Short mmCIF file of all heavy atoms in Angstrom, two decimals:
data_model
loop_
_atom_site.label_atom_id
_atom_site.label_comp_id
_atom_site.label_asym_id
_atom_site.label_seq_id
_atom_site.Cartn_x
_atom_site.Cartn_y
_atom_site.Cartn_z
N ASP W 481 42.52 63.08 19.64
CA ASP W 481 42.36 64.50 20.23
C ASP W 481 41.59 65.32 19.24
O ASP W 481 40.88 66.19 19.66
CB ASP W 481 43.85 65.01 20.45
CG ASP W 481 43.77 66.35 21.24
OD1 ASP W 481 43.50 66.31 22.37
OD2 ASP W 481 44.01 67.38 20.55
N GLY W 482 41.88 65.05 17.89
CA GLY W 482 41.06 65.82 16.89
C GLY W 482 39.57 65.67 17.03
O GLY W 482 38.77 66.57 16.83
N ILE W 483 39.25 64.35 17.22
CA ILE W 483 37.73 64.11 17.38
C ILE W 483 37.22 64.90 18.50
O ILE W 483 36.17 65.50 18.44
CB ILE W 483 37.45 62.56 17.64
CG1 ILE W 483 37.76 61.80 16.32
CG2 ILE W 483 36.09 62.36 18.10
CD1 ILE W 483 37.64 60.34 16.47
N ARG W 484 37.86 64.83 19.67
CA ARG W 484 37.36 65.56 20.83
C ARG W 484 37.31 67.06 20.60
O ARG W 484 36.38 67.70 20.97
CB ARG W 484 38.27 65.27 22.03
CG ARG W 484 38.21 63.74 22.44
CD ARG W 484 38.85 63.52 23.77
NE ARG W 484 38.33 64.37 24.78
CZ ARG W 484 38.95 65.51 25.32
NH1 ARG W 484 40.10 65.87 24.78
NH2 ARG W 484 38.36 66.16 26.22
N PHE W 485 38.33 67.63 19.94
CA PHE W 485 38.39 68.98 19.68
C PHE W 485 37.22 69.46 18.76
O PHE W 485 36.53 70.38 18.99
CB PHE W 485 39.71 69.33 18.99
CG PHE W 485 39.87 70.88 18.55
CD1 PHE W 485 39.92 71.86 19.47
CD2 PHE W 485 39.82 71.15 17.26
CE1 PHE W 485 40.03 73.17 19.09
CE2 PHE W 485 40.02 72.50 16.79
CZ PHE W 485 40.00 73.50 17.72
N ILE W 486 37.09 68.69 17.67
CA ILE W 486 36.02 69.12 16.66
C ILE W 486 34.57 69.02 17.32
O ILE W 486 33.72 69.74 17.00
CB ILE W 486 36.17 68.33 15.47
CG1 ILE W 486 37.46 68.70 14.64
CG2 ILE W 486 34.95 68.38 14.49
CD1 ILE W 486 38.02 67.80 13.60
N LEU W 487 34.47 68.04 18.26
CA LEU W 487 33.15 67.81 18.86
C LEU W 487 32.93 68.82 20.04
O LEU W 487 31.86 68.78 20.67
CB LEU W 487 32.98 66.44 19.36
CG LEU W 487 32.91 65.35 18.17
CD1 LEU W 487 32.78 63.95 18.90
CD2 LEU W 487 31.65 65.51 17.35
N GLY W 488 33.90 69.57 20.40
CA GLY W 488 33.73 70.48 21.47
C GLY W 488 34.40 70.01 22.88
O GLY W 488 33.94 70.50 23.81
N ASP W 489 35.30 69.10 22.71
CA ASP W 489 35.99 68.50 23.82
C ASP W 489 35.10 67.78 24.85
O ASP W 489 35.28 67.99 26.03
CB ASP W 489 36.90 69.57 24.60
CG ASP W 489 38.16 69.79 23.86
OD1 ASP W 489 38.84 68.78 23.52
OD2 ASP W 489 38.47 70.93 23.58
N PRO W 490 34.19 66.93 24.49
CA PRO W 490 33.41 66.13 25.39
C PRO W 490 34.29 65.08 26.06
O PRO W 490 35.25 64.61 25.42
CB PRO W 490 32.33 65.56 24.53
CG PRO W 490 32.97 65.29 23.24
CD PRO W 490 33.81 66.53 23.07
N GLU W 491 33.92 64.56 27.26
CA GLU W 491 34.70 63.52 27.93
C GLU W 491 33.92 62.27 27.51
O GLU W 491 32.77 62.24 27.08
CB GLU W 491 34.61 63.69 29.37
CG GLU W 491 35.37 64.92 29.91
CD GLU W 491 35.40 64.93 31.44
OE1 GLU W 491 34.99 64.01 32.09
OE2 GLU W 491 35.84 66.02 31.91
N ALA W 492 34.78 61.18 27.49
CA ALA W 492 34.22 59.82 27.09
C ALA W 492 33.46 59.34 28.28
O ALA W 492 33.68 59.49 29.42
CB ALA W 492 35.39 58.89 26.80
N GLU W 493 32.35 58.53 27.87
CA GLU W 493 31.53 57.81 28.85
C GLU W 493 31.84 56.35 28.90
O GLU W 493 31.87 55.77 30.06
CB GLU W 493 30.11 58.01 28.46
CG GLU W 493 29.60 59.46 28.65
CD GLU W 493 28.06 59.58 28.54
OE1 GLU W 493 27.46 58.79 27.83
OE2 GLU W 493 27.54 60.47 29.11
N TRP W 494 32.10 55.69 27.82
CA TRP W 494 32.47 54.33 27.72
C TRP W 494 33.31 53.98 26.54
O TRP W 494 33.29 54.71 25.65
CB TRP W 494 31.25 53.31 27.93
CG TRP W 494 30.14 53.45 26.87
CD1 TRP W 494 28.99 54.13 27.00
CD2 TRP W 494 30.15 52.86 25.58
NE1 TRP W 494 28.28 54.03 25.81
CE2 TRP W 494 28.92 53.23 24.90
CE3 TRP W 494 31.08 52.03 24.93
CZ2 TRP W 494 28.71 52.91 23.65
CZ3 TRP W 494 30.76 51.65 23.58
CH2 TRP W 494 29.56 52.04 22.95
N ALA W 495 33.90 52.86 26.59
CA ALA W 495 34.74 52.40 25.38
C ALA W 495 34.73 50.86 25.42
O ALA W 495 34.70 50.20 26.41
CB ALA W 495 36.12 52.98 25.50
N MET W 496 34.95 50.32 24.22
CA MET W 496 35.19 48.89 23.98
C MET W 496 36.11 48.68 22.82
O MET W 496 35.96 49.50 21.88
CB MET W 496 33.87 48.19 23.73
CG MET W 496 33.95 46.71 23.77
SD MET W 496 32.29 45.90 23.69
CE MET W 496 32.69 44.19 23.86
N ALA W 497 37.07 47.75 22.88
CA ALA W 497 38.02 47.56 21.84
C ALA W 497 38.51 46.14 21.75
O ALA W 497 38.26 45.36 22.59
CB ALA W 497 39.19 48.55 22.12
N GLN W 498 39.21 45.91 20.70
CA GLN W 498 39.98 44.67 20.40
C GLN W 498 41.32 44.97 19.95
O GLN W 498 41.49 45.94 19.14
CB GLN W 498 39.18 43.76 19.53
CG GLN W 498 39.96 42.43 19.27
CD GLN W 498 40.13 41.52 20.51
OE1 GLN W 498 41.06 41.82 21.23
NE2 GLN W 498 39.25 40.64 20.76
N VAL W 499 42.38 44.21 20.36
CA VAL W 499 43.72 44.45 19.96
C VAL W 499 44.39 43.19 19.47
O VAL W 499 44.15 42.09 19.92
CB VAL W 499 44.54 44.97 21.19
CG1 VAL W 499 46.01 44.82 21.01
CG2 VAL W 499 44.17 46.44 21.50
N GLU W 500 45.22 43.33 18.41
CA GLU W 500 46.08 42.33 18.01
C GLU W 500 47.52 42.73 18.13
O GLU W 500 47.95 43.81 17.77
CB GLU W 500 45.76 41.96 16.49
CG GLU W 500 46.72 40.92 15.96
CD GLU W 500 46.53 40.67 14.41
OE1 GLU W 500 45.33 40.24 14.08
OE2 GLU W 500 47.41 40.94 13.63
N ARG W 501 48.39 41.80 18.78
CA ARG W 501 49.78 42.07 18.91
C ARG W 501 50.60 40.77 18.71
O ARG W 501 50.90 40.14 19.72
CB ARG W 501 50.17 42.85 20.28
CG ARG W 501 51.52 43.41 20.30
CD ARG W 501 51.85 44.12 21.55
NE ARG W 501 53.16 44.85 21.46
CZ ARG W 501 54.31 44.33 21.90
NH1 ARG W 501 54.36 43.06 22.26
NH2 ARG W 501 55.40 44.98 21.68
N LYS W 502 50.69 40.42 17.51
CA LYS W 502 51.45 39.15 17.25
C LYS W 502 52.97 39.32 16.95
O LYS W 502 53.73 38.40 16.91
CB LYS W 502 50.84 38.42 16.09
CG LYS W 502 49.38 38.01 16.36
CD LYS W 502 48.75 37.27 15.10
CE LYS W 502 47.35 36.92 15.51
NZ LYS W 502 46.75 36.17 14.33
N THR W 503 53.41 40.67 16.93
CA THR W 503 54.86 40.95 16.69
C THR W 503 55.22 41.75 17.86
O THR W 503 54.38 42.43 18.58
CB THR W 503 55.12 41.76 15.37
OG1 THR W 503 54.56 43.11 15.52
CG2 THR W 503 54.54 40.95 14.25
N ASP W 504 56.49 41.81 18.21
CA ASP W 504 56.96 42.52 19.37
C ASP W 504 57.27 44.05 18.95
O ASP W 504 58.40 44.41 18.79
CB ASP W 504 58.27 41.82 19.95
CG ASP W 504 58.52 42.18 21.38
OD1 ASP W 504 57.68 42.81 22.03
OD2 ASP W 504 59.50 41.85 21.91
N ARG W 505 56.22 44.77 18.73
CA ARG W 505 56.26 46.03 18.12
C ARG W 505 56.39 47.18 19.14
O ARG W 505 55.55 47.20 20.06
CB ARG W 505 55.02 46.15 17.20
CG ARG W 505 55.04 47.30 16.29
CD ARG W 505 53.70 47.31 15.46
NE ARG W 505 53.71 48.20 14.32
CZ ARG W 505 52.68 48.92 13.89
NH1 ARG W 505 51.53 48.88 14.56
NH2 ARG W 505 52.74 49.72 12.89
N TYR W 506 57.22 48.18 18.84
CA TYR W 506 57.39 49.28 19.71
C TYR W 506 57.48 50.59 18.84
O TYR W 506 57.66 50.57 17.69
CB TYR W 506 58.78 49.29 20.47
CG TYR W 506 58.72 48.21 21.61
CD1 TYR W 506 58.72 46.77 21.27
CD2 TYR W 506 58.55 48.56 22.91
CE1 TYR W 506 58.75 45.83 22.39
CE2 TYR W 506 58.54 47.65 23.93
CZ TYR W 506 58.64 46.30 23.62
OH TYR W 506 58.52 45.38 24.58
N GLU W 507 57.16 51.74 19.50
CA GLU W 507 57.30 53.06 18.82
C GLU W 507 58.02 53.96 19.91
O GLU W 507 57.40 54.29 20.92
CB GLU W 507 55.94 53.53 18.45
CG GLU W 507 55.92 54.80 17.51
CD GLU W 507 56.09 56.10 18.19
OE1 GLU W 507 55.65 56.25 19.36
OE2 GLU W 507 56.79 56.98 17.70
N ARG W 508 59.24 54.28 19.51
CA ARG W 508 60.03 55.15 20.47
C ARG W 508 60.02 54.62 21.83
O ARG W 508 59.76 55.35 22.88
CB ARG W 508 59.58 56.64 20.37
CG ARG W 508 60.03 57.29 19.11
CD ARG W 508 59.59 58.74 19.01
NE ARG W 508 58.14 58.83 18.77
CZ ARG W 508 57.55 59.85 18.23
NH1 ARG W 508 58.23 61.08 17.96
NH2 ARG W 508 56.27 59.90 17.90
N GLY W 509 60.26 53.29 21.93
CA GLY W 509 60.50 52.64 23.25
C GLY W 509 59.23 52.20 23.94
O GLY W 509 59.36 51.49 24.97
N GLU W 510 58.08 52.50 23.47
CA GLU W 510 56.90 52.14 24.03
C GLU W 510 56.17 51.03 23.18
O GLU W 510 56.13 51.11 21.93
CB GLU W 510 55.86 53.31 24.15
CG GLU W 510 56.30 54.38 25.06
CD GLU W 510 56.36 53.85 26.59
OE1 GLU W 510 55.45 53.15 27.00
OE2 GLU W 510 57.29 54.28 27.27
#
Side-chain angles (χ1 to χ4, degrees):
D481 190 73
I483 287 176
R484 294 188 57 257
F485 175 70
I486 291 165
L487 293 177
D489 281 309
E491 294 184 9
E493 292 188 333
W494 58 261
M496 189 172 185
Q498 181 58 278
V499 162
E500 177 184 296
R501 192 176 189 271
K502 295 181 179 180
T503 71
D504 204 6
R505 191 179 192 219
Y506 287 74
E507 194 275 324
R508 283 179 285 197
E510 291 297 318

